Structure formats: structure tokens, C-alpha cells
Amino acid sequence: VHSSKMARRDRASVGRDLHYVPDITSSLEQASNNGFDFVCSPIVHPRYKRECLEGRAKGRPGALTRSDLLLTSQDWSTLIVGKLSPWLQPDSEIESVRKNCEKALQQELSYAAHLSLPAILVQVRSARCANMARYIHYHMMGHNNTLMWIQVPLQSADVSREDVIEGEPAPDPEDNRAQDPWEWWNTFRTVCHYHKKLALALELTPDLPCESQLRRWLGEPVRAAIIPTDIFLTNKKGYPVLSRVHQSFVQQLFKYDAQIVISGTARHGDKGLRAYQQYMEHLFQTAPPPDQVTLFARGYEDYLQCPLQPLFNNLESNTYETFEKDPVKYSQYQQAVYYALLDKIPVSEKDTKKIVLMVLGAGRGPLVRCSLEAAKRAERQIVVYAVEKNPNAVVTLEALKDEMWGEQVTVVSCDMREWEAPEKADIIVSELLGSFGDNELSPECLDGAQKFLKDDGISIPREYTSYVAPVSSHKLHNEVRGCKERDKGPEAPFETAYVVRLHNYCELAEPQPCFTFHHPNRGLIDNTRAKEFEFDVEENAVLNGFAGYFDTVLYGDVTLSIVPRTHSPGMFSWFSIFFPIRDPIYLTKGSKLKVNFWRCCTQQKVWYEWCVTSPTVTPIHNPAGRSYTIGL
């Protein structure tokens, strides 16, 4: 639903579910008086069962439903979510019922399109929904402006009921699968080929499934939560409230801009329906506030970006400016330089010995500033070389040298791999790490530059490790599918790694370490890598790709991390990286997911390859770097 009121982030969007609507105008007015933003209304009267093909009512005269003149086009397209008739059974085994329902379904979808309704609510009550999905898919192919809200309960009625038959045998896993609403949804969206206009309307149930099953929904396109009034509790003042677990889940859904729909009659005395809307607004306003990283990333959630290639392309001023705003990264770098200086120069030599420190890839100078501040705090003397290959950034470095740094800093306009240093360094400092650690070619750069590091010299960072985790994300799969590049084949979008602020996704297993690099690298230099992973699958799920992260040891115990469990608080310099797979893979609970990753190198470029080997085998993604490489 797309009214301007509902698009705002500063309040909850709450709608009212209506089962019968004798007068659409008065129903809408009444809902508005109770604070609701929109209503869910049947497209056709729920008891008007048409006989479209045969029967006495086949030629019945009269209109199918209410006139479009009752509301303005603006109101139809912003305030009304259409509901399909509950008696429609296009998946019936009885041919006459199926065919009649198909015809009636087409009538209702056609009239909804005529009204330009923003969304249509489609109830799904079992995994037997392929024919319904087929007709919905047909409709979406011809009408791109309407969202399809697929309504499924969080838990099926069969699972929710308490067993009262003593000694009843344990249910078969296949029966459990048939009773799992996520399976119904997965069947529906798979038949619809992950259409981008498919969305979920989750119906909250009195009992919620386990945490891992709730988390699984967070990788799906949840656009609404339908909350029956009979699951509300009553507080001491007689007002409706939700249990703590329901509250927590609803507040999680608010992060994904989910709208709320209240269904059922008022059940809390004289409090009326407005009390339910007010309570939803209260939950919205009291949700935990977003952290600094979330605020920084607002607007970039699930937005695919090609990783930077600073070795191949010169960065622009606004890119440098964004990175320089990170308060955590440079604080940690300053700590690392501080401890390195203390270890390099004992107190007895602090007035006589100078440290040669080289900043490799100095950009516009933040690491130079960190190093000078660390030296001042440590009361140690340093000489700094600021090495930068981007001539545009060198202009800034020269200005800073003239205005602030003076002769203590020497600016070098050169590629670090080609520079002939006048003396060797005690410490080299660099910030060449990408979202996957080595994906901006830090290993190749630092290996080329270590020739001017003393034998006992220190590299900051000292080491870094990439991590990989399997993820499910309907949204990201569709985003990748929508990326088409001229001059590249249809497989290219799925063979490219993307930097992305992961948001509407579910991590299917804990991240595991992938590739590790140490500096200085005094052994045989070989930056190719290979890694095989085995992940335990916790719940039935769909695999759409892999999230990549990294952590790094700068010096001593000073670290930085974007791995979710150890993420450096408040640091926003790096989003995650995402490696997609071409076709979604269905995973079963308790199975093993086996994956291979490779880092490949030539004299001119570096690239990654990846594939799944179990429970099914996929072709290698990005073989020989045909779709995505990083230029040296």
C-alpha cells in the first residue's frame, strides 16, 4: 500500500481487516476515525459464489460487485487492499470446482486491476497451491503495479493444537513439512519464479514457532503482519497488549517496514478498536533505537554495489570523505600505531631514536593524522612517508603537509609496488582491506611493498581473515536477477560479488573462516587460496548465496571486525560482500551443505570462484574470471 501516510518512517502503518463491507465509504470512514490507515476489503461479497460455467446461476443478471464510482481512483489505489473470496479453490481435485474457481479468480483479479488496488491479499492454507500460484503469476506478468500479499499463518492449526490422544505415534517428517506454512509459501513463490511483486502477509498465531523458524521468515519479503484480536492479552487497565515474544517479533518486522493489519472484533470491553491501533503505534515508538551503523546505512539496505577497485581506479573525493567519517576504524588504527611505537622504542631511547613509518595508500591523510597523534601520545619521534598513487588525493596531502604537518611528513606520489624508497621502514601502515578482507588486493600490494620494510619491521595490519556464511534472501535473489550488463552473458550477475548492507536476509549457519593472510610475508609468496566448507542446516530453507565478512588484527590485541558476532561497535566503513548462486537450492533440516571457494591470481588480475557440492552440485560460478575480476 503506497499512500504518503504509510511511507513515513516515523509512525506505524496500521490497517483494518474487514470480512463484510456493506458500505465501503462508511467502512473506510469508520476505520479512519479509529486511527487506521487503510482497510482490507473483499473484492466481491464473500458469499457470492458464482456459477461461471454451468448451473442455474450461470446467467444471473446484475453486477459482480460494488461500483468503482463509490470511491475516487486515489482512494482505491492507496487505501484499499483487495481480498480474494475465501471459497475459491483453484487447486480442487474436482474438475468442475477447479474450473469454476479459475474463472471466478480471473474475474476478481481483473476487477482489482481495474480499480488499481495497491495490493491483493491471497490466502494460502496448504502446500497444495500450485494452480492458484500459476494464475497469480499470470496476473503479475500483465499487471506490474499490484503487490500480491500471500497470507500464511506463522504456525498451522494442526501444529498449534495440543495432542489429546495418549500414545499417538510421532508425526512423519513429510507430514511436518506439509504442515509448515513456510513450505506453503516456498511452493507458491517457486511456482511464481520468485516474482518481484510477491510479498508475505504473516498471520500471527497464539503460539509462535521456535526461534530458528521465526528467524527464517526474516529472509522473506514480509510486507504485512496480520494480528487477530483474539491473541491479545489484557493489561491491568483493561487495554489490549501482546505477549513479550509477540511484541519482540512485531518490533523486528517494523525494521523491514512491515505494515500491521488488525483482524477480528474488539474484545476488550469499551476500549474499542482504536486501542489496538494505539497499541501498535506504542510498539513502533518503543522499539529499540537503531545503532550508528544502521543509521549510516539507511537507504542502502540490500542495495547491490560493485566492490571498489582502488588499485585499478582512482577513488573520488566523496568516497574518501565517507570513509574518513568512521570514528571507530581510525581510533583502532591509532591505538595499534601507539602500541607498536612503544614496543619499537624503549623509554630510554625515546629522545634519541626516530622511527620511520610509511603510510601506504595514504588517501587524503587520515592514517597520517592517526600516526602523528599516536606518536605524540606515546612521546616518540617519527618520520612519515605518505605514499599515494592517486594524483588527485596527492593534492590534498601536499596541502596538509604545507599547512599542518611540515617536514615531518614526506608525500610520495607513486604506486607503492613501484616506489624506490630512500630508506627502509620500521612500521608500514595501510588500509587496503575490502569487505572480504583481501578483495581490494591488500596481499598483492603489501607483498610488493615489503621490500622496503626492515627485517624486524611491523606491518599494520598484521593479519586478516575472510569469513563465509550461507544466506537466504528472496530480496537479494531478485536484486541480482535484475542486474543486466551490456556485453556480458546472462550468467554474469550471478557470478559477480557485490558489496551490500545485508538487511532482509536470514543467515542459515554461523560464518566460518575462509582465507587468511599475514604480513610481512617472508615465505614463498603465493596468494592463491582454496577452501572447502561444511555447514549444518538447522531448518528447511532456501539457499540464495553466501555472505562474506572479514576480521583483522592490526597489532597486538587491537582488532577490527565486520563478522556479525564480533562486529566492532559503531564501525561503518565496510558493508558485507555477497556471492550469489544462479539457482536457489532447497536445503533440508539436519543435512550438510558443502561449499568450495577459490581465490585465483594471474599477473594481471585476481578473481574468486565458488560452487556448491552437496546436497546438490552446481556449476562453478565465475570460472576463469569470465564475469568478475579485480585488476592488478
Side-chain angles (χ1 to χ4, degrees), residues 3 38 50 110 124 173-174 253 269 383 404 473 476 532 543 591:
S3 78
F38 62 97
R50 280 89 71 204
S110 175
V124 174
E174 277 303 309
L253 295 181
V383 173
M404 295 174 59
S473 175
L476 285 179
E532 184 176 5
L543 176 71
S591 64

Side-chain angles (χ1 to χ4, degrees), residues 468-471 508-509 512 532-538 542-546 581 585-588 590-596 611-616 618:
V468 165
V471 296
L508 302 178
Q512 293 184 18
E532 184 176 5
F533 300 95
E534 183 175 282
F535 297 100
D536 294 319
V537 179
E538 194 175 0
V542 167
L543 176 71
N544 296 117
F546 303 92
I581 57 172
I585 296 174
Y586 181 83
L587 305 174
T588 56
S591 64
K592 302 287 186 185
L593 170 64
K594 294 182 180 179
V595 183
N596 289 79
C611 75
V612 175
T613 58
S614 181
T616 187
T618 67

Side-chain angles (χ1 to χ4, degrees), residues 234-454:
T234 307
N235 69 7
K236 291 178 181 177
K237 295 184 178 179
Y239 284 92
V241 293
L242 290 173
S243 70
R244 290 198 180 276
V245 288
H246 285 87
Q247 286 179 41
S248 175
F249 186 63
V250 169
Q251 288 181 326
Q252 274 188 297
L253 295 181
F254 281 142
K255 295 177 186 176
Y256 302 97
D257 291 334
Q259 297 169 254
I260 302 298
V261 177
I262 300 296
S263 70
T265 58
R267 294 170 180 269
H268 289 75
D270 60 349
K271 306 304 179 188
L273 284 167
R274 190 174 187 85
Y276 298 92
Q277 184 274 333
Q278 290 173 332
Y279 179 69
M280 287 299 118
E281 181 62 27
H282 166 74
L283 274 189
F284 183 88
Q285 298 298 343
T286 56
D291 58 25
Q292 286 298 111
V293 180
T294 303
L295 289 172
F296 172 80
R298 186 158 282 172
Y300 285 93
E301 296 93 343
D302 297 322
Y303 175 73
L304 302 178
Q305 305 173 68
C306 287
L308 294 172
Q309 297 203 23
L311 200 59
F312 202 67
N313 304 312
N314 290 327
L315 301 183
E316 296 177 355
S317 180
N318 60 353
T319 306
Y320 286 121
E321 184 177 341
T322 300
F323 291 150
E324 289 163 12
K325 289 177 181 175
D326 193 316
V328 176
K329 177 171 73 171
Y330 294 113
S331 170
Q332 290 295 87
Y333 263 100
Q334 187 171 316
Q335 279 288 90
V337 174
Y338 170 76
Y339 288 126
L341 289 172
L342 292 182
D343 287 348
K344 272 290 179 186
I345 305 179
V347 176
S348 58
E349 299 177 20
K350 70 175 189 175
D351 296 324
T352 57
K353 188 175 179 181
K354 278 190 178 181
I355 286 291
V356 176
L357 185 146
M358 295 177 179
V359 177
L360 307 179
R364 301 197 311 179
L367 286 184
V368 177
R369 283 191 289 273
C370 286
S371 300
L372 294 173
E373 283 295 320
K376 183 177 178 183
R377 181 178 154 213
E379 299 179 336
R380 301 296 190 268
Q381 299 179 61
I382 63 171
V383 173
V384 179
Y385 289 88
V387 185
E388 176 54 52
K389 78 169 188 65
N390 183 352
N392 304 309
V394 168
V395 173
T396 307
L397 292 172
E398 292 285 9
L400 288 168
K401 173 182 167 69
D402 291 343
E403 296 167 15
M404 295 174 59
W405 300 334
E407 296 306 311
Q408 191 177 6
V409 176
T410 301
V411 176
V412 179
S413 180
C414 185
D415 188 317
M416 69 184 77
R417 296 168 298 173
E418 300 166 1
W419 181 43
E420 296 295 331
E423 58 183 321
K424 289 204 169 187
D426 297 287
I427 301 171
I428 57 174
V429 185
S430 63
E431 52 171 335
L432 306 169
L433 301 176
S435 296
F436 201 48
D438 58 86
N439 66 296
E440 291 183 14
L441 307 188
S442 178
E444 285 71 22
C445 292
L446 294 181
D447 288 347
Q450 70 183 21
K451 62 180 181 288
F452 43 74
L453 181 66
K454 292 177 181 176

Side-chain angles (χ1 to χ4, degrees), residues 120-306:
I120 299 173
L121 203 54
V122 183
Q123 270 201 1
V124 174
R125 285 294 178 258
S126 77
R128 188 182 177 84
C129 58
N131 200 34
M132 171 70 90
R134 173 172 160 261
Y135 274 92
I136 295 296
H137 193 209
Y138 285 169
H139 183 78
M140 291 187 294
M141 289 169 69
H143 301 87
N144 268 328
N145 296 324
T146 304
L147 279 174
M148 290 294 171
W149 284 4
I150 310 305
Q151 180 182 346
V152 296
L154 273 175
Q155 201 164 52
S156 74
D158 290 336
V159 172
S160 296
R161 71 177 175 83
E162 291 185 19
D163 290 320
V164 293
I165 304 173
E166 193 173 337
E168 186 176 304
D172 184 89
E174 277 303 309
D175 291 340
N176 284 342
R177 202 171 147 185
Q179 293 171 8
D180 183 353
W182 180 86
E183 296 286 355
W184 311 345
W185 153 251
N186 188 47
T187 298
F188 200 102
R189 61 99 172 268
T190 304
V191 171
C192 292
H193 198 49
Y194 279 73
H195 198 284
K196 64 182 179 181
K197 287 297 178 180
L198 271 187
L200 261 169
L202 284 179
E203 185 182 329
L204 269 63
T205 47
D207 297 317
L208 295 183
C210 64
E211 180 61 33
S212 59
Q213 290 182 358
L214 281 179
R215 197 168 58 244
R216 182 175 56 180
W217 288 114
L218 303 183
E220 307 298 354
V222 181
R223 292 293 170 268
I226 299 173
I227 309 180
T229 53
D230 61 8
I231 73 166
F232 283 83
L233 308 175
T234 307
N235 69 7
K236 291 178 181 177
K237 295 184 178 179
Y239 284 92
V241 293
L242 290 173
S243 70
R244 290 198 180 276
V245 288
H246 285 87
Q247 286 179 41
S248 175
F249 186 63
V250 169
Q251 288 181 326
Q252 274 188 297
L253 295 181
F254 281 142
K255 295 177 186 176
Y256 302 97
D257 291 334
Q259 297 169 254
I260 302 298
V261 177
I262 300 296
S263 70
T265 58
R267 294 170 180 269
H268 289 75
D270 60 349
K271 306 304 179 188
L273 284 167
R274 190 174 187 85
Y276 298 92
Q277 184 274 333
Q278 290 173 332
Y279 179 69
M280 287 299 118
E281 181 62 27
H282 166 74
L283 274 189
F284 183 88
Q285 298 298 343
T286 56
D291 58 25
Q292 286 298 111
V293 180
T294 303
L295 289 172
F296 172 80
R298 186 158 282 172
Y300 285 93
E301 296 93 343
D302 297 322
Y303 175 73
L304 302 178
Q305 305 173 68
C306 287

Side-chain angles (χ1 to χ4, degrees), residues 495 581-583 598 610-612 617-623 626:
E495 297 188 340
I581 57 172
R582 194 173 302 118
D583 299 308
W598 294 268
W610 60 99
C611 75
V612 175
V617 180
T618 67
I620 293 281
H621 288 62
N622 198 34
R626 69 178 175 187

